[in-house]
Amino acid sequence: MTIRILLADDQAMIRSGLRLILEDEDDLTVVGEASDGAQAVELARRLRPDVCLVDIRMPGLDGIDVTRALAGPGVADPLRVVVVTTFDLDEYVHGALHAGAVGFVLKGAAPALLIEAVRAAHAGDALISPSLTLRLLRGLAPAPAPTPPGRPPGRPLSARETEVVRAIARGRTNQEIAADLFITLSTVKSHLTAVQQKLGARNRVEIAAWAWQYHLVDPPLSHP
């Protein structure tokens, strides 16, 4: 199966670089390019790509507005949007996730991470650059709940699901989790699906926040 991708970035050189990275993979193809937000929304609605890679800062509609138009709460048939940007400001990450993005990747990340984010989005998963995850979640993690450590609020997690949750809370990618636990990538994805259903979590951010709230892993320390 070939994953069809739309690129939205106001810099032609960035779009060309992303296209080269993506189309070097046998299962990825770029079906359209947009140089501004309005064009991105129009092309996405017309082409219905499997995944949209959207920059934050673009003329007209910015990346968050584009994400909300394509994947927001009121969209009847939402598309899968991954934000790819140079800017790692927390307000952008928060805004993108709340607007419906299923990924947030920095342009300086390794090409393998971008490719994994596209495949994760297509599979219904979500991926945030590990370099952002721990810092971001310091602000998102809820205050510790007055419950015994590790006590889940609903259906209990299996031992393996708990290991996967702990790994997510430490910012590990699916491939890293599979290697660490000596299981297949498809098994990791199956555990993630089960965990999301049991916790009612929409993405990895909420899974990690839940893990810290219920003391399954020590919260990350703030840097001075």
Side-chain angles (χ1 to χ4, degrees), residues 37-73:
Q39 186 183 28
V41 172
E42 188 276 325
L43 278 177
R45 288 174 174 169
R46 176 159 53 87
L47 299 175
R48 300 297 302 178
D50 298 308
V51 179
C52 304
L53 297 184
V54 177
D55 188 22
I56 282 285
R57 295 187 180 179
M58 293 187 293
L61 296 176
D62 65 21
I64 293 175
D65 288 334
V66 170
T67 300
R68 189 176 295 108
L70 299 178

Side-chain angles (χ1 to χ4, degrees), residues 160 164 173-192:
R160 183 62 90 186
V164 170
T173 67
N174 285 359
Q175 290 180 332
E176 290 170 336
I177 294 170
D180 291 345
L181 300 181
F182 302 101
I183 56 179
T184 66
L185 189 58
S186 62
T187 301
V188 174
K189 293 177 180 178
S190 295
H191 287 315
L192 275 174

Side-chain angles (χ1 to χ4, degrees), residues 54-212:
V54 177
D55 188 22
I56 282 285
R57 295 187 180 179
M58 293 187 293
L61 296 176
D62 65 21
I64 293 175
D65 288 334
V66 170
T67 300
R68 189 176 295 108
L70 299 178
V75 178
D77 189 12
L79 293 169
R80 291 162 180 165
V81 178
V82 175
V83 172
V84 183
T85 182
T86 305
F87 306 99
D88 65 347
L89 300 177
D90 288 353
E91 62 186 279
Y92 287 160
V93 187
H94 284 243
L97 294 175
H98 291 153
V102 295
F104 196 102
V105 179
L106 296 178
K107 289 177 180 175
L113 187 67
L114 175 68
I115 293 165
E116 183 178 354
V118 170
R119 290 175 177 153
H122 181 251
D125 197 1
L127 187 148
I128 301 173
S129 285
S131 61
L132 291 176
T133 303
L134 295 181
R135 191 196 77 206
L136 166 68
L137 295 182
R138 288 187 194 103
L140 290 185
T147 56
R151 177 184 172 186
R155 296 165 55 197
L157 303 181
S158 69
R160 183 62 90 186
E161 288 166 353
T162 300
E163 289 180 309
V164 170
V165 167
R166 286 189 175 118
I168 291 172
R170 294 186 178 104
R172 308 291 280 174
T173 67
N174 285 359
Q175 290 180 332
E176 290 170 336
I177 294 170
D180 291 345
L181 300 181
F182 302 101
I183 56 179
T184 66
L185 189 58
S186 62
T187 301
V188 174
K189 293 177 180 178
S190 295
H191 287 315
L192 275 174
T193 299
V195 167
Q196 285 183 262
Q197 290 174 346
K198 288 181 178 181
L199 302 183
R202 294 176 301 171
N203 51 49
R204 301 168 86 92
V205 175
E206 292 185 357
I207 291 173
W210 179 88
W212 292 334

